[in-house]
Amino acid sequence: MKKLALSLICASAFASNFVGFGFYGSSVDTDSEFDLNKKNLYSYEIYANKFYNEGENNFVYDVRLGYSHYKTDYILKDIDFNGNFKAKLFSLQALAGYGITAGNDASVSFLGGLGYEKLKLTLDDEFMKIYNLAIKIEPNLAFDMKPKSMFLKAGVAARKQFENNFTMSGGVYFKYFTKKVDFTKRFSPEVDLSLGYTFANNIYAGVKFGYENTLIGNGGKAGFELGYKF
């Protein structure tokens, strides 16, 4: 019985499939004319992914559905005006590829795919009055309050599972928005690094750090993940 229990724990620790939920905070930077006083972005994510294990099918994937919200005070550069605005971002990505082993209990995934992001900006009434007046005088000042774009993404991810039930994983990617959107980097790298622990009931808990580029902006991120391995 002890050997059976140990084998079941090890099997869960070295499982290749993950489903879970993540909560992250980010520091946002943009190329806009706004001087942002508070740059905190909060994100929620549901994910499912698979890394390669010896003897399994080499097909691997990473699917993520996310929602981010962002509220900040701002100062318009070059003029004495301040206010606040809100941003809400919906995102979906689906990556797939080929996985191989890379040493003892480690695997590497070569991934590529596409995704979609949709942003909604809401500015305060005082700014909108000035904005509407300004674009009547100079239409070129107008920008999209509800931008959306598909994106292409490709990169390499790796995972190492340790005998003490700890798991380390990370990835390096390149992301390209198919549509040019104001204040957003169209092409940018993204990176992430996670470290977590798998309990005997297959529940995974960990922390995640990284850098991302979205329609809201780009910057570092950090947060917590809770998932299930099978």
Side-chain angles (χ1 to χ4, degrees):
M1 286 295 293
K2 288 183 178 180
K3 289 184 177 180
L4 177 60
L6 181 60
S7 65
L8 290 174
I9 293 173
C10 290
S12 67
F14 293 96
S16 58
N17 297 276
F18 290 70
V19 293
F21 170 81
F23 170 73
Y24 318 103
S26 303
S27 176
V28 177
D29 188 22
T30 69
D31 298 325
S32 72
E33 295 301 316
F34 297 99
D35 183 12
L36 305 178
N37 294 333
K38 298 177 181 178
K39 301 186 178 182
N40 294 323
L41 168 71
Y42 299 100
S43 302
Y44 312 89
E45 188 175 71
I46 299 173
Y47 65 89
N49 58 38
K50 178 183 183 296
F51 284 89
Y52 175 70
N53 264 355
E54 189 81 38
E56 295 183 340
N57 189 300
N58 293 87
F59 175 76
V60 293
Y61 61 86
D62 186 356
V63 178
R64 296 177 183 272
L65 176 66
Y67 170 78
S68 303
H69 65 89
Y70 178 40
K71 182 178 181 180
T72 183
D73 299 326
Y74 67 84
I75 299 173
L76 279 177
K77 298 175 183 178
D78 302 325
I79 65 174
D80 185 17
F81 183 84
N82 60 75
N84 62 78
F85 74 87
K86 301 176 183 178
K88 296 180 180 180
L89 178 72
F90 167 82
S91 63
L92 172 66
Q93 76 166 35
L95 308 180
Y98 189 84
I100 61 173
T101 56
N104 188 31
D105 300 319
S107 62
V108 175
S109 299
F110 301 93
L111 296 165
L114 50 80
Y116 173 80
E117 290 187 9
K118 181 179 181 180
L119 175 65
K120 179 181 179 182
L121 297 174
T122 305
L123 293 99
D124 59 84
D125 293 339
E126 289 301 316
F127 176 84
M128 290 306 299
K129 290 178 183 178
I130 296 176
Y131 172 75
N132 290 329
L133 178 61
I135 61 176
K136 287 181 181 179
I137 300 171
E138 182 53 66
N140 292 333
L141 294 176
F143 61 89
D144 192 355
M145 297 274 190
K146 297 181 179 180
K148 53 189 175 183
S149 177
M150 300 289 292
F151 64 83
L152 304 176
K153 189 171 180 179
V156 179
R159 185 190 66 172
K160 168 68 176 177
Q161 298 196 104
F162 302 94
E163 293 184 359
N164 59 6
N165 287 9
F166 278 98
T167 300
M168 178 180 289
S169 62
V172 178
Y173 308 92
F174 288 99
K175 183 177 181 180
Y176 176 77
F177 286 103
T178 59
K179 178 183 177 183
K180 189 179 186 305
V181 177
D182 292 329
F183 318 136
T184 300
K185 289 185 177 181
R186 192 168 184 181
F187 179 75
S188 176
E190 291 190 333
V191 296
D192 63 69
L193 178 66
S194 301
L195 177 63
Y197 184 83
T198 303
F199 298 91
N201 56 1
N202 292 11
I203 298 298
Y204 168 85
V207 294
K208 184 175 183 177
F209 307 91
Y211 172 88
E212 65 180 359
N213 181 49
T214 70
L215 292 185
I216 291 181
N218 54 84
K221 64 183 291 185
F224 303 94
E225 293 185 329
L226 184 65
Y228 181 78
K229 296 172 67 175
F230 60 95

